DNA sequence: CTCATTTTGTTAACATGTTTACTAATTCGA
DNA sequence: TCGAATTAGTAAACATGTTAACAAAATGAG
C-alpha cells in the first residue's frame, strides 16, 4: 500500500476476495457448461429446483442469487426448452410455481460426474478440512445481519 | 437431499456458497455506491488503480475480475467522467496505460469512511479471527491450479 | 530478415444484471 | 367491508457479462 492508497489491499477486501475466489472455482465449471450448452445461471436454477422441488419464482431468485427480472427472462427460455414447467398457484394466484422436468434432471444427471470431478479436484488441492472450514465460514457469513 | 436430487446441497457447493456470501456482503456496499453514483465495477477499478498505480488494461481486467470487452466500455465512460486517464505505452504500442486521476482518488477518499464502517460491521459480527481466517482461505483458494 | 504466431485491445451481438415503473392479487387495519 | 399498503411477477431501458471475430503490434522460429 502506497501513501497514495486510501483503501486496504484488495486481496484483504472481502467482496473482492470472494469474487476472485469464485472466478477461480468457476473456471472449470464454465468449461463444463459450455459443452452442454448451458449458462451458469440456468445451471444454478436447475440445481435449486432439483433440491427444493416445486417452488415459486421468488424462492428461486433468492436461492440462486438472481433478480426477478432476470429470472423472468431466463425461465421463459428454459420453459421453451422443456427444462422446467410453470403453473399458476391455486391458492395465491399471484404466484407461479416452477418445477424441474425430466429433461432438466437429465441435464443434471449427465453432468454429475464432471461436476464431481471438479469438486474433488478442488478438495484434493485445498484439503478436505480447509474446504469444510471454508464452507462453514461462508454459511456463517450469510447469516450476518446487515 | 431427496432421492430425486442428483447433486449435493447447494449450500455446500463452493461456487454457490461464494456467490451467496458475496451477495450478503455486497448489499450495504451497493447502498453506499448508489449515493455516489457509481457501479460495483467502477468502484473495483478505482480500488485496483489506487493500489497498483499506472497499469495496462489486461492487469486491471485480471485484478478487478472483468473481461476486456466490458473494461473497454467502462473505461471509456470513466475517462469521459475524468476519473481515469489513458495513454499509449511508449515501448509496446499495443498497450494502453491507465491511471487514476485526482478526481477518481477523491471518490475513494469521500467514501473511505462509509467503506470502513461496512467492513467493521462485518468484522464485529463475524469476529476478527474468523474474518482473517476466511480471507486466508480465500487467498489459498485463488492459488489452486485448475 | 520474414512470416506464422502470440499478445493487446476493440467491436458487434446477444444474454444477463439492475433499476424503475407497472399490473394483478392479496393482506390488513379502520 | 373498504381502501391503503404489501407482495409476486412482468416490461422496458440501459449497463455489464460473454463469446466470436477482428486489427494492430510484438515475438519467435526458420
Amino acid at each position: 500500500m502506497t501513501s497514495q492508497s486510501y483503501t486496504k489491499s484488495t486481496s484483504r477486501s472481502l467482496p473482492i476476495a470472494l469474487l476472485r475466489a469464485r472466478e477461480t472455482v468457476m473456471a472449470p465449471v464454465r468449461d463444463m457448461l459450455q459443452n452442454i450448452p448451458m449458462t451458469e445461471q440456468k445451471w444454478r436454477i436447475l440445481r435449486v429446483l432439483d433440491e427444493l422441488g416445486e417452488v415459486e419464482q421468488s424462492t428461486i431468485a433468492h436461492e440462486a442469487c438472481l433478480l426477478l427480472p432476470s429470472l423472468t427472462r431466463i425461465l421463459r427460455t428454459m420453459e421453451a426448452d422443456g427444462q422446467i414447467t410453470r403453473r399458476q398457484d391455486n391458492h395465491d394466484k399471484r404466484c407461479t410455481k416452477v418445477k424441474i422436468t425430466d429433461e432438466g434432471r437429465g441435464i443434471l444427471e449427465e453432468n454429475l460426474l464432471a461436476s464431481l470431478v471438479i469438486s474433488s479436484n478442488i478438495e484434493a488441492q485445498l484439503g478436505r478440512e480447509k474446504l469444510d472450514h471454508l464452507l462453514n465460514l461462508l454459511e456463517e457469513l450469510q447469516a450476518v445481519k446487515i
Side-chain angles (χ1 to χ4, degrees), chain A:
Chain A
M1 192 186 301
T2 73
S3 60
Q4 304 277 348
S5 187
Y6 291 117
T7 52
K8 63 184 168 187
S9 162
T10 52
S11 67
R12 304 305 284 183
S13 155
L14 193 50
I16 295 179
L18 288 167
L19 185 58
R20 288 181 184 159
R22 185 162 197 278
E23 288 305 303
T24 300
V25 169
M26 282 306 296
V29 178
R30 278 193 250 273
D31 291 342
M32 176 190 83
L33 294 176
Q34 271 204 289
N35 298 326
I36 304 188
M38 162 128 318
T39 65
E40 253 186 76
Q41 292 81 358
K42 291 177 182 176
W43 180 255
R44 285 207 304 276
I45 291 169
L46 288 180
R47 301 237 358 218
V48 165
L49 288 176
D50 180 50
E51 183 175 352
L52 299 185
E54 187 176 37
V55 291
E56 57 202 65
Q57 296 189 182
S58 298
T59 304
I60 302 174
H62 181 257
E63 293 296 315
C65 291
L66 294 168
L67 294 179
L68 274 173
S70 292
L71 191 63
T72 294
R73 281 178 309 207
I74 297 172
L75 289 182
R76 192 184 299 149
T77 76
M78 292 181 76
E79 188 178 25
D81 292 343
Q83 295 159 1
I84 58 127
T85 57
R86 287 163 22 118
R87 68 171 184 85
Q88 194 179 47
D89 184 90
N90 294 324
H91 301 299
D92 188 337
K93 294 185 177 177
R94 293 170 305 181
C95 291
T96 307
K97 295 287 197 173
V98 182
K99 196 160 60 168
I100 190 171
T101 63
D102 287 344
E103 184 167 339
R105 258 186 248 280
I107 293 173
L108 287 177
E109 196 176 5
E110 285 163 21
N111 293 278
L112 179 58
L113 182 60
S115 183
L116 281 175
V117 167
I118 295 171
S119 312
S120 302
N121 187 8
I122 292 171
E123 182 177 323
Q125 289 190 58
L126 192 65
R128 178 190 289 261
E129 276 190 25
K130 283 185 181 178
L131 181 58
D132 273 341
H133 199 159
L134 176 57
L135 287 168
N136 290 340
L137 286 171
L138 291 174
E139 275 192 282
E140 276 194 67
L141 189 56
Q142 289 168 57
V144 163
K145 223 181 67 186
I146 312 294

